[in-house]
Amino acid sequence: MEEWQRYQYDPGHYLGGNINPQLKYASGTNAGKYFAALCLMLGVISGIGTVFTFIEGTGNILGLLMTLLFISVGLTCFGDNKE
């Protein structure tokens, strides 16, 4: 109760630490694995589209950043075993 009263107006603080509990424990569940697979799939699809834009000469840096973001989130979720 004291921890909650101290940090009740701090949006980045959750009880017991600074990591959102949904993100901390999601990777060990089936839903977390589906989320990781979805991120990897979106990263691959986005990467294919980004490669085609660079081949055509109209490179899209935002698409490249989104590709890297999806792939890194997917690999991070697959890599964590919180079980």
Side-chain angles (χ1 to χ4, degrees):
M1 184 70 165
E2 292 174 6
E3 182 181 7
W4 180 80
Q5 287 176 341
R6 255 183 289 156
Y7 298 108
Q8 66 181 338
Y9 298 113
D10 184 5
H13 186 85
Y14 292 89
L15 295 178
N18 288 331
I19 298 173
N20 189 338
Q22 287 93 4
L23 297 176
K24 185 175 181 182
Y25 298 112
S27 64
T29 64
N30 285 336
K33 291 177 183 166
Y34 289 134
F35 176 72
L38 177 68
C39 284
L40 285 174
M41 190 170 51
L42 287 173
V44 168
I45 292 169
S46 175
I48 291 170
T50 303
V51 166
F52 283 128
T53 61
F54 278 106
I55 289 173
E56 292 175 359
T58 60
N60 189 355
I61 299 298
L62 183 61
L64 180 63
L65 292 175
M66 290 302 293
T67 298
L68 294 176
L69 176 73
F70 280 131
I71 290 175
S72 65
V73 167
L75 290 177
T76 302
C77 288
F78 266 132
D80 290 343
N81 285 328
K82 304 287 186 210
E83 296 178 293

